[in-house]
Amino acid sequence: MKFHPEGSATERPLVSLVDDDESVRESLPDLLREFGFAARAFSSAEEFLVSDCIGQTGCLILDIAMPGMTGPELQQELKRRRQEIPIVFITAQRDETVRPRVLEQGAVECLFKPFSDTALLDALNTALRLN
Amino acid sequence: MEELPADEIKRLRRCNNDLVSVLALPAMWSGAEPSQIVHTFLDALLGMLGLDLVYVRLKDPIGDSPIETVRIAQSRKQMPQPQEVCDLFNRWFGDDPQKWPPLVRNPIGDGDISIVPARLGLHGEIGLLLAGSQRAEFPCQTERLLLSVAANQASIGLQEARLLSEQRRVAKELDQRVAQRTTELAQTNQELRREIADRRRAEEQLRRSEAFLTEGQKLSRIGNFSWLVPTDDIKWSEQLYRIFEFELGVPVTFELIGSRVHPEDLPLLYDMIGKAQRAVSSFEYEHRLLMPDHSVKYLHLIAHGSRDNQGRLEYIGAAQDVSQRRLSEEALAKARSELANVARVTSLGVLTASIAHEVNQPLSGIITNAGTCLRMLSADPPNVDGARETARRTIRDGNRASDVITRLRTLYSKKDLSPESMDLNEATREVTALSLSELQSKRVILRHELADDLPAVTGDRVQLQQVILNLLRNAADAMSAVDDRPRELLIRTECDEGDRVRLSVKDAGVGFAAQAADKLFEAFFTTKSDGMGIGLSISRFIIEAHHGRLWATANDGPGATFAFSIPCAARAWPTPKTRVNQADPLTGAA
């Protein structure tokens, strides 16, 4: 099921992005809005955790390697807080052992940078269907 | 017939008795010494004739001085020393008895004394006898007779004694000579025995040494050989036959040896024959043997050339079966290479990952922006402002990716160039010496053609050696799959045009496709499954920093030749030297 951007602004699911890379934080929210989502970007896991977005976030796009708390650590932290937000991991490191590990921990998808916009949209749709 | 008076009869009888006694003397003297004969003779004469003194002078047949003896009647009170009497007689009498006076002054008493001389021997050759008596009638006729007979008897006895004594002396001397000769012979005999024993010991020792050598050769798996080059006459020690597993004593030929040498190592054998034809002073090889049971042995061979008495070249050498050492070395090398591989793969992995990470971040931005841009432009109405913004970001991310590559390149130029005047031949020899075992293990036959009159170049020794090492390794790697021809690698230095020096590395490897020639030196271009594709790019970077040129050409035959050419004279090197980039080339972080 594809999300239709024609829906009302309040109906637009919030997709939050946590990535330490600025160019991703700049470019991805624009694409997400083109997809029809609401988008918020955070430069670190800690920043996301102290924000008021956790409860509203329909899907979390999460970078794996970050200074400070890493993506998988944030995943564990959210579990610990019983915040069951579907997560789509993105990473610039093509480490094939990471993907099964995070999927096992409940992630919806793990995309290697650079990924296509359709691959991302498919992952997001899967994630939001879970809600 | 006239009757003789009783006194006369008595005197004659006494004379007769005395004669019998005198005649009996020689029987007593049989076998006696001359001195004994003289003593008994004088005693008998003294008593028989009632003499006052009797004197004998014997001529010594050998010595010069005569032997004198004196007897004086026991009744005489005044006893002179015999020597005094002798001296007196010697003074009075010469050698001629005819001239002697019949009466002389009594040497042993008062008044005169009648002296009767008698020759001993026909001409007095034995000596002289003097009989003296104070009696006025002395000598009477019978006394003269008795003296004469007695002197005769004494002469005979002394003559015999002398002969006997001479015989004894001769016999004794003969005995002595025989004894001496016998001793000498015994000594010689003993010496001979000792020599024989020594020789036996030496032979035993030699035999033992040979046994030791054989055992030693067996144990150390070393065999000896000689090779007379003009006749190809090859001799092997027993152990070498054992190593090659040929029947002892079969004639050794190169055909025979070639049948055992591992087919892949046959070029080494031909190379060795070539060296011998060029009469090199010595050679050393390590090659494999392929045994009939398909097992492989490793042989280490060293030989030195010499000339025999006919001036023919002969190599004398030793060959050791180093299979066990080689196997452990290989195991060690394998472990080491696995370790190195792990380390390299790890560091390579880390490097690749960080390159990928750094490149993928901007790429990700580019793709996302491009996607967004397309979506914005295809919207109705198109969001041109948004599209412009995303396009701008696309360009920015593209530049970011390009920066990453630039930073990567500077990683390899981080070190300052340290130009020095250097001998490129020497630098080359250092590199090849270090690479020799690696090249040998890859079955590469390395040949040098280094120009004798190569001028010095100015450059960074370590960096230029890195380039040479890189070219050597590339060449060896290019031949790793070559099995149908010798893996020959030729490294050559020569003077180049325009006051430059050229170094080239020619291999017999797979070569490269013509269309790849201009890509060879690009970073990340590689034909190797395990290569990064950085080596040639870095090498070219280094050579260009030396104001030189690095290029590749395809050989007429198989393989390729990589060469660089750098100027001899120093050019203006950048001073002061500046560090290009001390920051982490990938992240830009210090």
Side-chain angles (χ1 to χ4, degrees):
Chain A
M1 187 189 89
K2 200 181 171 188
F3 183 84
H4 295 286
E6 287 81 28
S8 69
T10 50
E11 287 173 58
R12 284 180 159 200
L14 176 64
V15 176
S16 295
L17 165 72
V18 179
D19 197 320
D20 64 319
D21 188 78
E22 199 190 349
S23 72
V24 175
R25 288 204 307 277
E26 273 181 8
S27 58
L28 210 51
D30 276 357
L31 184 62
L32 292 171
R33 286 184 199 106
E34 282 300 309
F35 286 159
F37 303 117
R40 285 282 303 270
F42 303 91
S43 65
S44 70
E46 290 84 353
E47 199 187 320
F48 175 69
L49 284 173
V50 298
S51 73
D52 53 0
C53 292
I54 297 179
Q56 305 159 37
T57 299
C59 177
L60 178 63
I61 299 177
L62 183 54
D63 188 23
I64 287 180
M66 289 181 294
M69 186 182 278
T70 65
E73 281 166 2
L74 177 59
Q75 182 184 27
Q76 295 305 313
E77 177 62 21
L78 292 174
K79 262 192 187 173
R80 200 182 61 75
R81 298 187 184 189
R82 306 199 181 281
Q83 296 287 342
E84 293 188 354
I85 309 172
I87 300 175
V88 173
F89 278 104
I90 54 173
T91 178
Q93 265 156 2
R94 188 168 282 275
D95 183 348
E96 300 291 344
T97 63
V98 169
R99 189 180 140 88
R101 227 172 33 233
V102 297
L103 291 184
E104 195 183 310
Q105 291 297 315
V108 176
E109 184 55 279
C110 179
L111 299 173
F112 293 115
K113 296 176 187 175
F115 43 80
S116 70
D117 49 3
T118 52
L120 178 66
L121 187 57
D122 286 350
L124 290 174
N125 283 333
T126 308
L128 292 169
R129 240 197 335 263
L130 292 172
N131 285 351
Chain B
M1 193 170 168
E2 192 185 352
E3 186 120 336
L4 291 169
D7 278 359
E8 185 70 9
I9 292 167
K10 196 175 164 187
R11 196 180 52 86
L12 284 177
R13 190 172 290 153
R14 213 176 110 205
C15 180
N16 200 33
N17 284 344
D18 286 345
L19 272 176
V20 170
S21 296
V22 166
L23 290 172
L25 280 173
M28 282 167 63
W29 294 337
S30 170
E33 291 288 321
S35 61
Q36 288 175 301
I37 293 172
V38 169
H39 284 304
T40 51
F41 175 60
L42 294 185
D43 286 345
L45 221 52
L46 204 64
M48 199 180 292
L49 299 179
L51 299 172
D52 288 306
L53 66 87
V54 63
Y55 163 89
V56 161
R57 183 166 63 189
L58 288 183
K59 285 183 181 169
D60 193 306
I62 304 160
D64 293 338
S65 55
I67 302 163
E68 294 169 307
T69 314
V70 171
R71 277 286 186 281
I72 295 162
Q74 296 290 322
S75 57
R76 301 208 65 89
K77 293 186 180 92
Q78 210 180 341
M79 283 293 272
Q81 287 300 307
Q83 193 57 50
E84 290 174 30
V85 181
C86 298
D87 287 346
L88 194 66
F89 282 145
N90 274 329
R91 218 164 44 239
W92 287 343
F93 306 113
D95 281 335
D96 187 2
Q98 303 299 324
K99 295 175 180 170
W100 293 351
L103 276 175
V104 295
R105 199 182 59 81
N106 189 356
I108 55 167
D110 305 324
D112 293 331
I113 190 167
S114 301
I115 295 293
V116 176
R119 287 192 185 106
L120 294 178
L122 203 56
H123 306 290
E125 71 272 14
I126 293 173
L128 172 69
L129 169 70
L130 292 179
S133 176
Q134 284 180 305
R135 280 181 286 119
E137 72 274 20
F138 181 78
C140 67
Q141 204 181 350
T142 53
E143 280 169 338
R144 279 191 185 279
L145 177 70
L146 274 172
L147 268 174
S148 166
V149 173
N152 255 338
Q153 290 297 310
S155 297
I156 294 165
L158 284 167
Q159 185 70 36
E160 278 180 1
R162 270 189 182 177
L163 283 174
L164 188 66
S165 168
E166 180 65 14
Q167 275 175 359
R168 278 188 188 150
R169 195 186 58 77
V170 169
K172 197 176 163 193
E173 199 181 296
L174 198 67
D175 276 352
Q176 272 178 348
R177 281 193 193 165
V178 168
Q180 192 186 343
R181 190 78 191 120
T182 306
T183 314
E184 282 170 11
L185 280 173
Q187 268 177 357
T188 311
N189 204 14
Q190 204 175 346
E191 270 167 32
L192 274 173
R193 265 200 217 109
R194 202 165 46 234
E195 271 175 28
I196 289 169
D198 282 353
R199 179 164 297 181
R200 280 210 188 118
R201 244 194 322 276
E203 277 170 2
E204 174 66 14
Q205 244 163 11
L206 186 66
R207 201 187 56 72
R208 203 177 302 138
S209 298
E210 274 172 3
F212 283 164
L213 185 67
T214 309
E215 283 305 306
Q217 289 207 342
K218 243 189 234 175
L219 217 93
S220 59
R221 298 187 167 84
I222 296 180
N224 293 109
F225 65 88
S226 64
W227 169 21
L228 195 58
V229 179
T231 59
D232 273 346
D233 184 20
I234 302 171
K235 293 269 186 293
W236 278 5
S237 77
E238 215 176 297
Q239 182 58 25
L240 207 52
Y241 278 100
R242 250 181 247 126
I243 291 172
F244 273 78
E245 292 176 24
F246 284 130
E247 200 182 319
L248 199 62
V250 297
V252 183
T253 61
F254 279 110
E255 287 72 33
L256 189 76
I257 297 171
S259 69
R260 277 284 191 273
V261 171
H262 195 290
E264 287 178 21
D265 290 347
L266 276 173
L268 292 173
L269 183 66
Y270 302 142
D271 189 59
M272 184 184 82
I273 295 171
K275 273 188 180 161
Q277 277 159 1
R278 293 197 304 275
V280 298
S281 63
S282 61
F283 52 80
E284 180 171 0
Y285 285 96
E286 217 177 294
H287 67 82
R288 292 168 297 176
L289 299 180
L290 187 61
M291 308 315 289
D293 63 356
H294 300 295
S295 65
V296 171
K297 282 185 182 177
Y298 290 88
L299 212 61
H300 184 198
L301 180 151
I302 298 176
H304 294 278
S306 60
R307 298 276 171 184
D308 70 1
N309 48 16
Q310 297 171 49
R312 296 179 299 181
L313 177 63
E314 185 175 35
Y315 287 100
I316 308 285
Q320 184 176 23
D321 180 356
V322 293
S323 304
Q324 283 183 351
R325 191 175 79 197
R326 190 58 192 256
L327 286 177
S328 33
E329 271 176 8
E330 278 197 349
L332 184 69
K334 196 173 166 229
R336 197 179 282 151
S337 126
E338 274 170 6
L339 189 69
N341 227 9
V342 168
R344 200 175 62 207
V345 167
T346 309
S347 63
L348 202 67
V350 169
L351 185 65
T352 323
S354 53
I355 292 170
H357 185 262
E358 292 307 306
V359 176
N360 284 342
Q361 292 284 32
L363 278 183
S364 184
I366 290 166
I367 288 168
T368 306
N369 284 319
T372 312
C373 182
L374 276 178
R375 283 174 192 275
M376 287 174 168
L377 289 176
S378 53
D380 189 21
N383 178 359
V384 178
D385 286 344
R388 190 179 288 124
E389 175 59 23
T390 54
R392 191 187 58 77
R393 285 204 298 254
T394 305
I395 293 167
R396 190 201 56 194
D397 285 345
N399 286 333
R400 244 182 92 190
S402 162
D403 286 348
V404 171
I405 303 296
T406 307
R407 284 205 297 274
L408 182 69
R409 270 177 75 106
T410 57
L411 169 70
Y412 295 95
S413 56
K414 218 157 78 174
K415 272 194 206 155
D416 293 342
L417 283 174
S418 318
E420 54 175 311
S421 181
M422 54 172 279
D423 180 354
L424 194 64
N425 283 344
E426 193 184 291
T428 305
R429 278 190 214 101
E430 279 176 14
V431 174
T432 53
L434 282 172
S435 316
L436 210 59
S437 66
E438 186 184 335
L439 293 176
Q440 275 206 351
S441 73
K442 291 178 176 172
R443 310 272 152 223
V444 171
I445 300 166
L446 176 67
R447 289 203 298 129
H448 293 84
E449 279 182 18
L450 306 181
D452 291 330
D453 52 349
L454 202 68
V457 296
T458 305
D460 185 311
R461 189 186 188 87
V462 174
Q463 289 203 355
L464 287 178
Q465 285 186 322
Q466 277 180 356
V467 174
I468 298 168
L469 183 66
N470 191 42
L471 296 184
L472 280 179
R473 285 198 173 143
N474 273 351
D477 287 345
M479 296 191 284
S480 61
V482 171
D483 287 322
D484 59 340
R485 55 182 181 267
R487 298 179 183 175
E488 273 185 349
L489 198 163
L490 171 66
I491 185 158
R492 174 190 283 155
T493 57
E494 59 201 309
C495 292
D496 204 1
E497 292 170 358
D499 202 16
R500 296 162 82 89
V501 166
R502 178 195 293 202
L503 180 143
S504 57
V505 176
K506 180 183 178 186
D507 64 54
V510 291
F512 54 85
Q515 60 268 29
D518 48 352
K519 281 192 187 170
L520 282 173
F521 300 98
E522 284 177 15
F524 306 114
F525 175 85
T526 181
T527 56
K528 293 187 248 177
S529 56
D530 56 351
M532 271 279 287
I534 295 180
L536 281 175
S537 165
I538 301 298
S539 294
R540 179 134 92 173
F541 189 81
I542 291 170
I543 293 301
E544 282 172 359
H546 283 78
H547 310 289
R549 202 164 68 84
L550 173 64
W551 71 96
T553 47
N555 294 340
D556 288 340
T561 299
F562 283 77
F564 67 75
S565 166
I566 51 174
C568 304
R571 291 217 186 156
W573 288 85
T575 48
K577 289 171 264 177
T578 47
R579 288 200 171 272
V580 179
N581 187 355
Q582 294 219 12
D584 186 319
L586 296 176
T587 62

